[in-house]
PDB file of all heavy atoms in Angstrom:
ATOM      1  N   GLN T 226     -80.576-108.048   3.030  1.00  0.00           N
ATOM      2  CA  GLN T 226     -81.020-107.889   4.410  1.00  0.00           C
ATOM      3  C   GLN T 226     -80.974-109.225   5.132  1.00  0.00           C
ATOM      4  O   GLN T 226     -81.314-110.266   4.576  1.00  0.00           O
ATOM      5  CB  GLN T 226     -82.457-107.356   4.457  1.00  0.00           C
ATOM      6  CG  GLN T 226     -82.571-105.862   4.255  1.00  0.00           C
ATOM      7  CD  GLN T 226     -84.004-105.386   4.344  1.00  0.00           C
ATOM      8  OE1 GLN T 226     -84.917-106.082   3.937  1.00  0.00           O
ATOM      9  NE2 GLN T 226     -84.208-104.205   4.882  1.00  0.00           N
ATOM     10  N   VAL T 227     -80.530-109.191   6.377  1.00  0.00           N
ATOM     11  CA  VAL T 227     -80.584-110.390   7.205  1.00  0.00           C
ATOM     12  C   VAL T 227     -81.889-110.359   7.997  1.00  0.00           C
ATOM     13  O   VAL T 227     -82.549-109.327   8.107  1.00  0.00           O
ATOM     14  CB  VAL T 227     -79.383-110.478   8.171  1.00  0.00           C
ATOM     15  CG1 VAL T 227     -78.082-110.391   7.403  1.00  0.00           C
ATOM     16  CG2 VAL T 227     -79.447-109.394   9.238  1.00  0.00           C
ATOM     17  N   THR T 228     -82.279-111.502   8.539  1.00  0.00           N
ATOM     18  CA  THR T 228     -83.512-111.587   9.322  1.00  0.00           C
ATOM     19  C   THR T 228     -83.237-112.314  10.624  1.00  0.00           C
ATOM     20  O   THR T 228     -82.266-113.070  10.751  1.00  0.00           O
ATOM     21  CB  THR T 228     -84.613-112.338   8.558  1.00  0.00           C
ATOM     22  OG1 THR T 228     -84.104-113.626   8.174  1.00  0.00           O
ATOM     23  CG2 THR T 228     -85.028-111.583   7.309  1.00  0.00           C
ATOM     24  N   ASP T 229     -84.097-112.100  11.585  1.00  0.00           N
ATOM     25  CA  ASP T 229     -83.917-112.720  12.902  1.00  0.00           C
ATOM     26  C   ASP T 229     -83.904-114.237  12.828  1.00  0.00           C
ATOM     27  O   ASP T 229     -83.226-114.895  13.594  1.00  0.00           O
ATOM     28  CB  ASP T 229     -85.042-112.283  13.858  1.00  0.00           C
ATOM     29  CG  ASP T 229     -84.821-110.867  14.361  1.00  0.00           C
ATOM     30  OD1 ASP T 229     -83.690-110.558  14.749  1.00  0.00           O
ATOM     31  OD2 ASP T 229     -85.773-110.079  14.361  1.00  0.00           O
ATOM     32  N   ASN T 230     -84.689-114.809  11.906  1.00  0.00           N
ATOM     33  CA  ASN T 230     -84.787-116.260  11.850  1.00  0.00           C
ATOM     34  C   ASN T 230     -83.823-116.880  10.841  1.00  0.00           C
ATOM     35  O   ASN T 230     -83.938-118.051  10.503  1.00  0.00           O
ATOM     36  CB  ASN T 230     -86.220-116.690  11.515  1.00  0.00           C
ATOM     37  CG  ASN T 230     -86.697-116.139  10.186  1.00  0.00           C
ATOM     38  OD1 ASN T 230     -85.951-115.438   9.509  1.00  0.00           O
ATOM     39  ND2 ASN T 230     -87.930-116.440   9.815  1.00  0.00           N
ATOM     40  N   SER T 231     -82.850-116.085  10.340  1.00  0.00           N
ATOM     41  CA  SER T 231     -81.838-116.648   9.441  1.00  0.00           C
ATOM     42  C   SER T 231     -80.913-117.576  10.231  1.00  0.00           C
ATOM     43  O   SER T 231     -80.739-117.438  11.439  1.00  0.00           O
ATOM     44  CB  SER T 231     -81.023-115.534   8.794  1.00  0.00           C
ATOM     45  OG  SER T 231     -81.836-114.771   7.934  1.00  0.00           O
ATOM     46  N   ASP T 232     -80.318-118.516   9.563  1.00  0.00           N
ATOM     47  CA  ASP T 232     -79.452-119.505  10.206  1.00  0.00           C
ATOM     48  C   ASP T 232     -78.057-118.932  10.360  1.00  0.00           C
ATOM     49  O   ASP T 232     -77.209-119.075   9.499  1.00  0.00           O
ATOM     50  CB  ASP T 232     -79.421-120.784   9.375  1.00  0.00           C
ATOM     51  CG  ASP T 232     -78.611-121.887  10.057  1.00  0.00           C
ATOM     52  OD1 ASP T 232     -78.157-121.667  11.193  1.00  0.00           O
ATOM     53  OD2 ASP T 232     -78.451-122.968   9.459  1.00  0.00           O
ATOM     54  N   THR T 233     -77.805-118.271  11.493  1.00  0.00           N
ATOM     55  CA  THR T 233     -76.500-117.657  11.711  1.00  0.00           C
ATOM     56  C   THR T 233     -75.432-118.693  12.038  1.00  0.00           C
ATOM     57  O   THR T 233     -74.249-118.416  11.961  1.00  0.00           O
ATOM     58  CB  THR T 233     -76.570-116.638  12.877  1.00  0.00           C
ATOM     59  OG1 THR T 233     -76.994-117.323  14.061  1.00  0.00           O
ATOM     60  CG2 THR T 233     -77.543-115.537  12.564  1.00  0.00           C
TER      61      THR T 233
END
Side-chain angles (χ1 to χ4, degrees):
Q226 279 181 325
V227 305
T228 55
D229 284 314
N230 59 0
S231 294
D232 184 4
T233 59

